[in-house]
Amino acid sequence: MKAAFIEGTGAPDVIRYGDLPKPIPKDGEVLVRVGAVAVNPIDTYIRSGAVNMPLPKPFVIGCDLAGTVEALGPGAKRFKVGDRVWGSNQGLLGRQGTFAEYACVLEDWLYPTPAGVSDQEAAAVALTGITAHLGLFRCAATQPGDVVFVNGGTGGVGSMVVQMAKAVGAQVVTTVGSADKAAQCRQWAADRVINYKTDDVPASVREFTKGRGVDVWYETQREPDFLKTVPLMARRGHMVVMAGRQAQPVFPVGPFYVNDLSLFGFAMFNATPQEQRRAAEDINRWLAEKKLRPLIGRVLPLSEAATAHGLQEENTLQKAGTLAGKIVLTP
């Protein structure tokens, strides 16, 4: 089979595209004929060596996939041959990744793809959707009527936060860097869209909340500024962080605790299969109801995996601003 893989960590050009043996499903695994995969920042961190995880050699890169069940390993019983499925949490903690024509995945990490949802859409929603859901609901217990703020409303996770919060009846405030991105967020019914390049973000948040503050602050930025954000929180509000491995920001302890605030940090790949499945069930329902529409910024062939990693890094690390939504690749 064709696959995008690495023999060692490094820059995007260490990614090779070529032939590897077609995998055989083991106990509890499902062999998936891959229809689409998506690129995530964590993929680039693992490939570069910035995140140190055990890597089989050769190592097929990638976390997300969507496709069709081709075969079942011993003991696998949640799916049958021909079922369409999607999933994430691959290419992590020693597991092989998904950037290939076929992938073997433990059935616990797979979910049925709803009718009318393409493989590209399902792959694009995988890691980012589960991440957004864990932060909003497992961590912050987001409720109808809450004011939810998220930086980068058209980013991978940010776009999911905007739509999921609206799906449960929350009010959403988000930031963008262009008029086109603002228009996209308004299509998702965001209640206040702030251009961080031209607008005063704290003033806009205070105006929207009438000084009451934000109930759920979902921070997607690598370098959070708690000196600015903590004063914008409502009493007993929840703050969620899921990015910025090297970040060590100044933290205003006094204003934080006297306002009864809570701070949650999490990594999606630490969540149990049961926790991730609960997220997937909501995601599937919202996909079927058209309340969740993944934003796909670029579609490339799998053979251009190195190009896709370079584009992701330009936007994640270098803040190029040339990408809205997910990069999806097709075998």
Side-chain angles (χ1 to χ4, degrees):
M1 68 173 184
K2 296 295 185 184
F5 60 93
I6 62 175
E7 299 282 358
T9 58
D13 61 9
V14 301
I15 298 173
R16 295 173 55 192
Y17 179 75
D19 292 308
L20 289 179
K22 183 178 176 180
I24 298 172
K26 301 174 184 177
D27 286 353
E29 289 185 340
V30 171
L31 177 67
V32 179
R33 185 173 73 251
V34 177
V37 298
V39 183
N40 297 287
I42 186 66
D43 302 339
T44 68
Y45 305 154
I46 293 171
R47 185 224 70 234
S48 70
V51 171
N52 184 22
M53 286 193 181
L55 302 180
K57 291 186 179 181
F59 172 62
V60 178
I61 60 176
C63 291
D64 296 342
L65 84 163
T68 305
V69 175
E70 181 92 353
L72 303 177
K77 56 187 178 181
R78 290 187 57 227
F79 301 98
K80 64 181 184 298
V81 173
D83 284 350
R84 296 181 60 236
V85 294
W86 66 273
S88 186
N89 228 45
Q90 304 309 298
L92 301 167
L93 305 174
R95 292 187 286 272
Q96 280 286 11
T98 59
F99 279 34
E101 292 180 305
Y102 294 90
C104 284
V105 181
L106 278 171
E107 63 177 1
D108 284 347
W109 301 116
L110 289 173
Y111 322 105
T113 303
V117 176
S118 70
D119 284 345
Q120 291 186 20
E121 292 171 316
V125 81
L127 183 145
T128 54
I130 293 172
T131 299
H133 192 283
L134 290 170
L136 280 173
F137 303 109
R138 189 193 67 176
C139 294
T142 302
Q143 300 293 319
D146 282 351
V147 175
V148 175
F149 177 95
V150 59
N151 274 312
T154 60
V157 174
S159 63
M160 293 291 102
V161 171
V162 170
Q163 296 178 73
M164 289 181 183
K166 292 303 300 181
V168 299
Q171 302 177 72
V172 175
V173 181
T174 188
T175 60
V176 295
S178 72
D180 288 344
K181 292 179 179 180
Q184 179 63 72
C185 287
R186 293 189 182 100
Q187 285 187 13
W188 293 327
D191 298 275
R192 175 63 64 89
V193 183
I194 306 167
N195 188 322
Y196 65 85
K197 294 181 179 178
T198 59
D199 300 333
D200 185 327
V201 175
S204 296
V205 171
R206 291 190 185 96
E207 179 189 8
F208 179 80
T209 64
K210 296 180 172 58
R212 176 181 169 277
V214 171
D215 298 294
V216 177
W217 188 288
Y218 201 117
E219 185 56 77
T220 63
Q221 302 302 299
R222 290 162 51 85
E223 295 289 341
D225 187 342
F226 290 113
L227 296 180
K228 288 185 178 179
T229 58
V230 166
L232 297 175
M233 296 299 296
R235 181 161 295 176
R236 297 192 177 179
H238 304 304
M239 308 182 76
V240 178
V241 293
M242 38 65 68
R245 287 171 175 270
Q246 306 304 318
Q248 297 189 31
V250 175
F251 192 82
V253 174
F256 180 84
Y257 84 80
V258 298
N259 208 22
D260 287 6
L261 301 180
S262 301
L263 177 64
F264 299 88
F266 77 99
M268 172 263 196
F269 53 79
N270 290 331
T272 66
Q274 293 75 21
E275 289 172 327
Q276 297 201 32
R277 190 181 302 175
R278 283 195 291 271
E281 288 170 353
D282 279 346
I283 289 168
N284 275 347
R285 185 176 73 257
W286 293 329
L287 285 170
E289 295 172 350
K290 306 301 182 185
K291 293 180 178 179
L292 192 61
R293 296 178 180 271
L295 180 60
I296 298 174
R298 198 75 58 88
V299 179
L300 297 171
L302 184 60
S303 58
E304 296 185 25
T307 299
H309 268 229
L311 178 60
Q312 183 68 60
E313 285 185 336
E314 288 172 7
N315 283 269
T316 304
L317 302 179
Q318 301 165 24
K319 306 295 183 185
T322 56
L323 181 68
K326 298 294 295 180
I327 306 170
V328 170
L329 297 93
T330 56

